[in-house]
Amino acid sequence: MTAGHAHGVNHAVVIHGAHDVRVEERPIQEPGTGEVRVAVELGGICGSDLSYYRKGAVGDFRVVSPMVLGHEIVGEVDEIGPGVRGWDDRDRVVVDPSSPCGTCDRCREGRSNVCERPRFLGSAATTPHTDGGFANFVVARTANLVPVPARTASDVAVFAEPLAVTVHAVHRAGGVRGARVLVVGAGPIGSLLCATAHAEGAAEVVVADLDRQRLALAEAVGADRSAVVGEDDPGTEFDLVFEASGAAPAIADTLTRARRGGRVVLVGLPHGGPLPIPVAVAVPREIDLLGSFRFNHDEFVHAVELLVDGLPIDPLRTGTMAVTAAPDAFALAAQPTSMKVQLDFRAA
Ligand SMILES: [Zn+2]
Ligand SMILES: [Zn+2]
């Protein structure tokens, strides 16, 4: 069906432990039944990749053996496995990194993002770890592929995965149409939340962060107004508050910003010790406090649609570096002013 064009080397970005990212050669795999091989073009460095880089762990998931990082990838179908229909050599695709089991109670009720036996590209949640997508060639199930139309650039399409996180958060909130929205935290996820909330019809999107530079970027992609934490008052009586910083004081503060009967959606993974939750504020005002984690496949598909429709995420791209310079790319991504750093696999 296809000759394939997998020659040469397969460079992979491998985490060995904190501050130990190496570029190593890995064998090029043949796709099995129902699978294709993808020649990766670009990969986006995510907060979880950075956590493995900084601490050798994400939360309780510690790297105990070398693991290929990465779960935000776009590329071209390069080789087609047995029994695969509907995909052709050179089709451009983004890969949904999430492979839920499909059979547990949560999967059956349509909440595969909280699957009890999930697999996720580039994750140390299980041992042996699941290798990620930061390599020249990656094998993926066709169920995980979403096509990218010719008019959408790869450096835009590669935002699909973090954007899907924000699409899911908006669903958890019950939608944002006509709502006054506060987004706390203007990192990549908080900024993408501003873009999604704006695109999905929020009446007003206010963003709060400590860093002016980040706030300017969040405004460039969709926030109507910004507030520097500790200097400006973001306001109160919001219909919806999205917490995307994970900082303990910010999480406690969200409850005081929501209106009576409002909703607070926690998207950022908490860090920084025990969390004081002002329950006395939340109970009489009947505020819904909701967790939001990853996304379902249909939300990933919707994220691709938003990008194809021209969601203005370009300002969030900090830089692009060749895969062979991956350690430098991680050092850049770890800078507090960096948003998205992309790895380029095409040149290597
Ligand atoms: Zn990600
Ligand atoms: Zn499941």
Side-chain angles (χ1 to χ4, degrees):
M1 193 167 188
T2 167
H5 20 81
H7 336 279
V9 278
N10 183 28
H11 289 108
V13 179
V14 180
I15 183 85
H16 286 253
H19 293 278
D20 188 2
V21 171
R22 304 180 202 171
V23 180
E24 297 176 353
E25 256 185 77
R26 291 284 173 106
I28 298 173
Q29 312 254 323
E30 292 301 317
T33 302
E35 295 178 335
V36 301
R37 184 171 61 217
V38 175
V40 177
E41 294 179 343
L42 291 170
I45 297 178
C46 185
S48 61
D49 298 313
L50 273 178
S51 182
Y52 286 123
Y53 172 74
R54 288 193 177 111
K55 298 184 280 193
V58 170
D60 295 335
F61 308 147
R62 183 154 291 282
V63 173
V64 296
S65 57
M67 177 179 82
V68 180
L69 287 170
H71 59 263
E72 302 178 3
I73 53 169
V74 61
E76 273 184 5
V77 172
D78 167 77
E79 182 82 47
I80 290 171
V84 169
R85 302 245 181 288
W87 294 96
D88 275 316
D89 200 20
R90 311 219 61 154
D91 281 349
R92 209 152 47 95
V93 293
V94 282
V95 178
D96 178 349
S98 184
S99 295
C101 77
T103 56
C104 74
D105 288 346
R106 299 292 83 73
C107 279
R108 282 174 201 266
E109 68 186 15
R111 298 183 69 179
S112 61
N113 62 307
V114 284
C115 169
E116 286 159 23
R117 293 178 293 276
R119 285 171 63 81
F120 199 87
L121 287 183
S123 169
T126 53
T127 306
H129 305 332
T130 306
D131 275 335
F134 285 171
N136 291 95
F137 298 99
V138 170
V139 167
R141 298 185 316 160
T142 55
N144 293 63
L145 306 180
V146 179
V148 179
R151 67 177 183 278
T152 303
S154 291
D155 58 9
V156 171
V158 74
F159 277 87
E161 194 271 347
L163 191 63
V165 170
T166 73
V167 169
H168 180 68
V170 165
H171 283 169
R172 286 290 279 156
V176 294
R177 192 156 299 282
R180 286 190 66 231
V181 171
L182 173 64
V183 175
V184 179
I189 293 293
S191 297
L192 288 171
L193 256 167
C194 294
T196 302
H198 182 81
E200 303 273 312
E204 187 187 19
V205 181
V206 181
V207 60
D209 196 284
L210 291 161
D211 187 289
R212 277 173 206 285
Q213 212 172 323
R214 287 185 166 218
L215 289 172
L217 293 175
E219 286 187 278
V221 301
D224 299 295
R225 182 161 69 78
S226 70
V228 179
V229 172
E231 291 181 31
D232 311 321
D233 182 6
T236 56
E237 301 294 317
F238 288 95
D239 300 307
L240 300 169
V241 181
F242 293 95
E243 206 303 306
S245 77
I251 294 171
D253 186 57
T254 55
L255 289 167
T256 69
R257 303 287 173 190
R259 66 160 166 82
R260 287 166 189 270
R263 286 184 169 179
V264 173
V265 182
L266 304 177
V267 190
L269 284 174
H271 52 81
L275 298 177
I277 297 291
V279 176
V281 174
V283 174
R285 295 166 67 84
E286 207 165 85
I287 291 166
D288 292 337
L289 187 59
L290 302 163
S292 183
F293 186 64
R294 291 182 180 162
F295 46 83
N296 301 318
H297 186 68
D298 55 350
E299 292 163 336
F300 187 91
V301 171
H302 184 59
V304 175
E305 288 166 357
L306 287 172
L307 293 168
V308 170
D309 287 348
L311 201 72
I313 45 75
D314 281 1
L316 303 182
R317 208 182 311 111
T318 300
T320 304
M321 297 175 86
V323 57
T324 45
D328 296 335
F330 272 79
L332 172 63
Q335 299 291 318
T337 50
S338 289
M339 298 294 273
K340 267 293 166 197
V341 174
Q342 297 179 354
L343 288 170
D344 193 334
F345 294 85
R346 289 169 293 200

